Amino acid sequence: MALELRPNCEYCDKDLPPDATDARICTYECTFCADCVDTKLFNVCPNCGGGFTPRPIRPATEWRPGLSVAKRPPSAQRRSLNYDNADIEALSCKLRDIPPERR
């Protein structure tokens, strides 16, 4: 099963194409832009409370049969948060001083 490459930041709705170097994901593949992760979420996923890592870039070239962005395309389904800004801020304030590996 390939990583779901979501097309947008779930916080600000910025486009995050498959080759975006500023895309960040949590362990559940929630996707945000680096700016939101750093300045709004403070490395706390508002969905699960985990931390973020840079999203891998899926190869554009099919170096191995069937393995490329053309053969395994990104998702077209845009996502948005189910929480309001106050709830997101409260969770972030509660968890941001705890390293992700200890949450």
Side-chain angles (χ1 to χ4, degrees), residues 40-87:
K40 305 268 194 282
L41 304 173
F42 302 97
N43 198 33
V44 176
C45 178
N47 297 313
C48 70
F52 293 98
T53 190
R55 184 179 72 187
I57 305 293
R58 186 164 297 159
T61 302
E62 188 177 359
W63 301 107
R64 300 283 189 187
L67 300 176
S68 70
V69 75
K71 298 292 183 169
R72 304 250 176 132
S75 173
Q77 181 183 355
R78 297 182 82 81
R79 306 277 179 118
S80 61
L81 291 167
N82 294 323
Y83 305 99
D84 64 29
N85 288 347
D87 190 29

Side-chain angles (χ1 to χ4, degrees), residues 11-102:
Y11 191 93
C12 73
D13 199 37
K14 175 183 178 177
D15 289 339
L16 295 170
D19 62 350
T21 59
D22 64 335
R24 302 291 181 264
I25 60 171
C26 77
T27 190
Y28 292 102
E29 300 175 29
C30 301
T31 304
F32 298 88
C33 69
D35 185 52
C36 286
V37 167
D38 294 340
T39 65
K40 305 268 194 282
L41 304 173
F42 302 97
N43 198 33
V44 176
C45 178
N47 297 313
C48 70
F52 293 98
T53 190
R55 184 179 72 187
I57 305 293
R58 186 164 297 159
T61 302
E62 188 177 359
W63 301 107
R64 300 283 189 187
L67 300 176
S68 70
V69 75
K71 298 292 183 169
R72 304 250 176 132
S75 173
Q77 181 183 355
R78 297 182 82 81
R79 306 277 179 118
S80 61
L81 291 167
N82 294 323
Y83 305 99
D84 64 29
N85 288 347
D87 190 29
I88 293 167
E89 185 177 347
L91 182 66
S92 183
C93 285
K94 180 178 180 180
L95 299 177
R96 69 195 206 196
D97 291 330
I98 303 169
E101 66 275 10
R102 300 191 74 202

